[in-house]
Amino acid sequence: MNMLFFVVFLLFSALIFRLGIVQIVQGEDYQRKIERTEDVTVNTSVPRGKIYDRYGKVVVDNKPQNAITYTRSSNANPEEMMKTAEKLAQLIEKETDQVTERDKKDFWITKHPKKVEAKITDAEWAAYKEDKLTEDEIYDMQLDRITETDLSELTAAELEVLAIYREFTAGYAQTPQIVKNENVTDVEYAVVSENLSSLPGVNTTTDWERAYAYDGTLKTVLGNISSSKEGLPREMADYYLARGYSRNDRVGKSYLEYQYEDILRGQKTKMKNVTDKSGNVLDSEIITEGQRGNDLVLTIDMDLQTAVEKIIEEELTKAKSSYHPFLDRAFVTMMDPNTGEILAMAGKQYTTSDGKPKIVDFALGNMTTSYAMGSAVKGATVLTGYMTGVNEPGERIVDEPLYFGSSAKSKSSWFNRSGAMSISDTYALMRSSNVYMFKTAMEIGGSHYVRNGGLDINDEAFPTMRKYFGQFGLGVKTGIDLPNEQAGYKGFVDQPGKLLDFSIGQFDTYTPLQLAQYVSTIANGGYRMQPQIVKEIREPISSTNKIGPIAEEIEPNVLNTLELEPGWIEQVQEGFRLVVQGSEGTAASYFGDAPYKMAAKTGTAEGVYDGPLKEKNKNQMTWNVTLVGYAPYDNPEVAMAVVVPWAYEDSSSSIPINHYIGRRAMDKYFELKEQRASEKPAQAVIDQDIVPKTGTETSDADESETEESEDE
């Protein structure tokens, strides 16, 4: 017993000695550990870059708005969060439309624990205690048994609390989450700011939303961004998270906003949150000031864009008034043929909303929809004949009705249904001869026309013609700096007669943008330029009425050069000039008196209607009308493609809407050019308000030289 007492004495002595060390020697260290804080670095979003037109006019801006945020701690207590949500609900109004049925059921369970428990039978509780049912299974059973009557017990005030609590639980811990950023009143903002001390995690700040200076103009091309509620698109979440985004970040979802996301997104503000051991935020400190994204300067002239859109709307409305049931859209693309810069890309679609007619933006259709373009592509057919060696510039071909085999039906040109006449290539373009193109295609396919003979086309005919057409941009993607461009539709049959249809633009389909690239290639002498919609990237500055220095200039890009002998393309250019300037030109009556001296090619294509009403109108034949051109013909500075699908149903109801739109659009371009030439250069915002990147001052002499050069 003495030995046992002695051992106990030694053990108590050791315990007392150890407690003394902990309390006296290491007490302060342990106290600091208890009271320790952690520094957590988080990123907060910044406004996106602005978008300007080529003359410095704001197209897309950021509109500031009041916002209320919540930063959830890493060890957040749901009960504390709910209490905070209840307090905040008394200070602000929160929409409840985003609250789901599952949200309501979960909330009802927390509010009515006894009623929830009664949803489970005694036998099921017994099975749960015997581990025959899991806790998750019990919870799912409770959810299933909550009725609409149960949910109706939730009051409007409780639903508002739920909507706020729902925002609290979204997003990452330590990262501010938007609770409300739409229609936050000044009173709400002030009251919440005054009560922040009793609302842990809640803060007031300034958020932003995209503002469009021209409303719906070009909206489909500009694209959209996700909202703070949407955050990262689910299908691309991993991609963005790997690049430093947060799940609730707003990103470009489509077209221009998506294509230039890395440029527009900006540099986030880095903040240091000081937290206690429970993860509660004690203080916040800005480490690095954020900067909004770089700005984009488009190649688009918004004055021209809005004017062309108005022209399309007026002509569409006028044409629809004379009963053309299938006509519902029209497109115009105007570009600089020497650089590929898109000056205007307009598209409109005629729809009905609540039984009332409505015209909506469809600029995107210039690159995402394709149509048979008709005779407008005959310039490519003539040049393909030169490049394959079956024709020579100036070579004459007999235009005559063509008969194949025993068929009594002929294929002929619109102006020559019975006779035979020897015509040149330029005349064929001026008068839009089908037979000239038919015979050229036959020669490319290894066949020579014999009346009532067969049409023996070799297997390489289609690939050969498509290869050369592709060098003009027809049937291939143009390379525009926007996603989701379409290449058009290639006919899948290879019947010999279809090759003839191909040669006059009535087989494969092309986009209006491809048509503009094609005519630009002819206008500039054989260089296929990559269309571009962004001209410059500029650094952001804080001033609201100035545009920053150039960070990057997008240079013109030649995609390919046609392999041409001297005089070849000049021959086609002359044919295009005669279309407008020749006495028998198919567009002479519409453009012959224009002061800017245009070259052009008209087109019509007959085919089965395949628009939105095709299910009710199967095998309905309609006509597409098109127009390509450039001006001035001897020194081209603007190229244009006009496409109006399904314009009319038969030749007796034909309307030259393509000519009306084309003439007015080209007139407007030169009208704006003359108007700008008469203005003082200093009035151009994009020149006047540039902030020099180097920070050095520009002398008066340098400024004068710059202005004179730009005028030139």
Side-chain angles (χ1 to χ4, degrees):
M1 289 294 292
N2 289 336
M3 183 61 68
L4 180 60
F5 284 133
F6 180 71
V7 171
V8 172
F9 170 76
L10 290 178
L11 292 174
F12 270 101
S13 298
L15 179 61
I16 293 169
F17 178 75
R18 181 58 184 161
L19 288 174
I21 292 176
V22 170
Q23 184 171 354
I24 299 172
V25 179
Q26 298 176 330
E28 292 184 3
D29 291 336
Y30 283 112
Q31 185 66 31
R32 281 195 296 269
K33 289 182 180 180
I34 292 173
E35 297 175 350
R36 72 182 177 182
T37 59
E38 294 181 354
D39 293 341
V40 181
T41 301
V42 297
N43 297 323
T44 59
S45 64
V46 293
R48 293 172 74 80
K50 299 180 181 181
I51 300 177
Y52 299 88
D53 87 334
R54 67 186 296 113
Y55 294 108
K57 295 183 177 180
V58 175
V59 179
V60 183
D61 203 346
N62 299 304
K63 179 182 177 182
Q65 57 183 5
N66 293 333
I68 298 169
T69 65
Y70 179 79
T71 304
R72 178 163 52 93
S73 64
S74 54
N75 298 317
N77 185 317
E79 293 182 3
E80 293 295 330
M81 292 171 62
M82 184 63 73
K83 290 180 181 179
T84 303
E86 290 172 350
K87 292 179 182 178
L88 185 58
Q90 296 175 5
L91 305 178
I92 67 173
E93 292 184 4
K94 174 69 176 174
E95 296 291 336
T96 61
D97 55 335
Q98 296 296 317
V99 175
T100 65
E101 183 178 356
R102 175 57 188 267
D103 292 331
K104 294 178 182 179
K105 288 184 176 183
D106 290 333
F107 188 69
W108 190 87
I109 287 175
T110 63
K111 287 291 183 180
H112 304 87
K114 292 183 178 180
K115 290 183 179 181
V116 170
E117 187 175 346
K119 297 285 185 182
I120 306 300
T121 65
D122 293 339
E124 289 167 341
W125 281 121
Y128 169 70
K129 292 177 181 179
E130 295 174 2
D131 292 332
K132 294 180 180 180
L133 289 174
T134 66
E135 187 174 348
D136 288 341
E137 289 174 330
I138 289 292
Y139 192 78
D140 289 339
M141 293 165 66
Q142 290 171 334
L143 288 173
D144 290 338
R145 294 170 187 178
I146 295 174
T147 65
E148 290 292 333
T149 303
D150 293 331
L151 296 181
S152 66
E153 296 176 4
L154 297 175
T155 65
E158 288 177 326
L159 289 177
E160 193 172 27
V161 171
L162 173 56
I164 294 174
Y165 179 78
R166 187 175 182 272
E167 301 293 352
F168 282 7
T169 57
Y172 289 122
Q174 307 297 346
T175 301
Q177 174 72 19
I178 297 292
V179 176
K180 182 178 181 181
N181 63 352
E182 296 180 4
N183 303 318
V184 178
T185 67
D186 293 338
V187 173
E188 288 178 330
Y189 190 85
V191 170
V192 173
S193 298
E194 292 173 358
N195 290 274
L196 291 179
S197 58
S198 61
L199 298 168
V202 176
N203 199 1
T204 52
T205 184
T206 300
D207 196 32
W208 55 270
E209 64 176 346
R210 280 309 219 187
Y212 299 90
Y214 293 85
D215 296 324
T217 299
L218 207 64
K219 186 65 168 61
T220 55
V221 172
L222 296 173
N224 297 307
I225 64 170
S226 60
S227 66
S228 56
K229 294 178 182 178
E230 293 176 286
L232 301 180
R234 181 178 302 177
E235 65 277 8
M236 296 191 67
D238 292 340
Y239 171 86
Y240 285 119
L241 290 173
R243 285 157 177 77
Y245 285 76
S246 299
R247 288 192 181 275
N248 60 346
D249 280 348
R250 284 169 282 184
V251 297
K253 294 196 301 183
S254 59
Y255 298 99
L256 198 68
E257 293 275 13
Y258 169 81
Q259 183 74 17
Y260 287 91
E261 169 64 26
D262 291 342
I263 304 299
L264 294 167
R265 65 175 290 199
Q267 180 180 341
K268 291 185 174 182
T269 299
K270 287 191 175 182
M271 298 186 65
K272 180 175 70 176
N273 287 340
V274 181
T275 66
D276 60 17
K277 63 183 181 66
S278 298
N280 297 312
V281 178
L282 302 177
D283 192 18
S284 295
E285 176 185 344
I286 295 178
I287 300 175
T288 305
E289 288 283 357
Q291 186 180 54
R292 69 175 174 83
N294 282 352
D295 300 330
L296 298 182
V297 176
L298 304 183
T299 61
I300 299 289
D301 175 356
M302 288 304 290
D303 288 339
L304 180 63
Q305 177 76 27
T306 53
V308 172
E309 288 192 3
K310 184 178 180 181
I311 290 168
I312 295 176
E313 286 188 16
E314 291 174 352
E315 295 298 338
L316 264 180
T317 302
K318 187 188 302 182
K320 290 293 288 184
S321 66
S322 57
Y323 187 71
H324 292 284
F326 305 108
L327 169 63
D328 72 339
R329 64 194 67 187
F331 306 97
V332 175
T333 295
M334 304 182 77
M335 62 189 292
D336 184 334
N338 304 301
T339 64
E341 294 180 357
I342 303 293
L343 305 176
M345 190 160 73
K348 291 292 181 179
Q349 185 173 13
Y350 191 95
T351 64
T352 55
S353 178
D354 297 327
K356 297 180 180 179
K358 182 180 180 182
I359 297 181
V360 298
D361 177 62
F362 196 26
L364 204 56
N366 281 279
M367 54 172 276
T368 60
T369 61
S370 62
Y371 311 93
M373 299 301 186
S375 299
V377 306
K378 287 178 178 177
T381 302
V382 172
L383 280 166
T384 298
Y386 298 163
M387 290 187 283
T388 55
V390 302
N391 289 340
E392 294 182 358
E395 181 177 344
R396 303 183 75 84
I397 291 179
V398 176
D399 186 295
E400 58 186 326
L402 304 183
Y403 294 89
F404 298 99
S406 59
S407 175
K409 188 177 181 180
S410 66
K411 294 179 77 71
S412 62
S413 300
W414 67 273
F415 59 87
N416 182 21
R417 302 294 188 186
S418 58
M421 53 190 299
S422 176
I423 62 173
S424 66
D425 43 12
T426 54
Y427 186 89
L429 290 172
M430 178 182 69
R431 295 283 281 164
S432 199
S433 167
N434 287 343
V435 172
Y436 191 100
M437 310 304 154
F438 292 157
K439 289 187 174 180
T440 298
M442 290 173 63
E443 294 291 339
I444 293 173
S447 177
H448 187 72
Y449 174 69
V450 176
R451 184 182 175 94
N452 297 124
L455 187 57
D456 187 17
I457 301 296
N458 62 44
D459 294 338
E460 296 302 314
F462 274 106
T464 298
M465 291 199 71
R466 284 181 175 137
K467 180 186 75 171
Y468 284 105
F469 270 49
Q471 293 184 24
F472 295 90
L474 296 172
V476 297
K477 292 184 178 181
T478 66
I480 190 172
D481 50 337
L482 287 171
N484 301 330
E485 180 188 7
Q486 301 301 307
Y489 173 81
K490 291 180 173 60
F492 58 89
V493 296
D494 56 0
Q495 297 171 353
K498 296 300 182 183
L499 184 70
L500 306 190
D501 294 337
F502 178 93
S503 70
I504 62 171
Q506 297 202 144
F507 189 52
D508 285 5
T509 66
Y510 312 114
T511 67
L513 183 61
Q514 288 174 345
L515 209 61
Q517 188 181 53
Y518 144 76
V519 73
S520 293
T521 304
I522 292 176
N524 66 31
Y527 301 93
R528 184 165 79 99
M529 304 302 299
Q530 178 180 2
Q532 64 184 74
I533 200 166
V534 174
K535 183 180 179 68
E536 297 165 347
I537 298 170
R538 291 184 176 258
E539 296 178 4
I541 56 175
S542 58
S543 178
T544 58
N545 61 347
K546 293 184 179 180
I547 187 168
I550 294 177
E552 181 182 349
E553 189 171 2
I554 312 300
E555 297 292 338
N557 182 31
V558 179
L559 297 176
N560 63 268
T561 304
L562 300 181
E563 297 180 2
L564 303 172
E565 297 291 334
W568 284 5
I569 203 161
E570 289 80 3
Q571 191 78 354
V572 173
Q573 290 172 341
E574 174 62 13
F576 276 34
R577 185 191 71 82
L578 290 173
V579 169
V580 176
Q581 308 298 324
S583 59
E584 298 180 86
T586 55
S589 60
Y590 299 96
F591 293 91
D593 62 344
Y596 39 80
K597 302 302 179 185
M598 183 174 168
K601 184 69 191 79
T602 59
T604 56
E606 183 182 17
V608 177
Y609 170 74
D610 61 347
L613 304 177
K614 63 182 179 182
E615 291 300 322
K616 296 181 180 180
N617 298 274
K618 294 182 178 179
N619 301 319
Q620 172 67 50
M621 300 301 293
T622 55
W623 292 80
N624 303 337
V625 292
T626 60
L627 173 72
V628 295
Y630 53 88
Y633 69 81
D634 55 349
N635 186 25
E637 62 182 74
V638 58
M640 176 181 66
V642 180
V643 178
V644 186
W646 320 311
Y648 51 89
E649 299 74 58
D650 56 68
S651 57
S652 63
S653 63
S654 63
I655 49 172
I657 184 174
N658 53 331
H659 296 132
Y660 296 151
I661 292 175
R663 174 61 191 264
R664 293 181 63 187
M666 196 64 83
D667 285 352
K668 177 56 68 172
Y669 170 84
F670 284 99
E671 176 188 325
L672 288 172
K673 178 186 176 183
E674 183 178 352
Q675 178 181 328
R676 290 190 178 107
S678 64
E679 295 175 350
K680 295 180 180 179
Q683 292 177 345
V685 177
I686 203 165
D687 298 324
Q688 175 189 6
D689 293 329
I690 290 176
V691 178
K693 188 172 184 178
T694 60
T696 57
E697 295 184 359
T698 307
S699 68
D700 293 340
D702 291 338
E703 289 178 355
S704 299
E705 290 177 5
T706 302
E707 291 169 356
E708 290 175 5
S709 174
E710 287 168 352
D711 280 349
E712 212 169 2

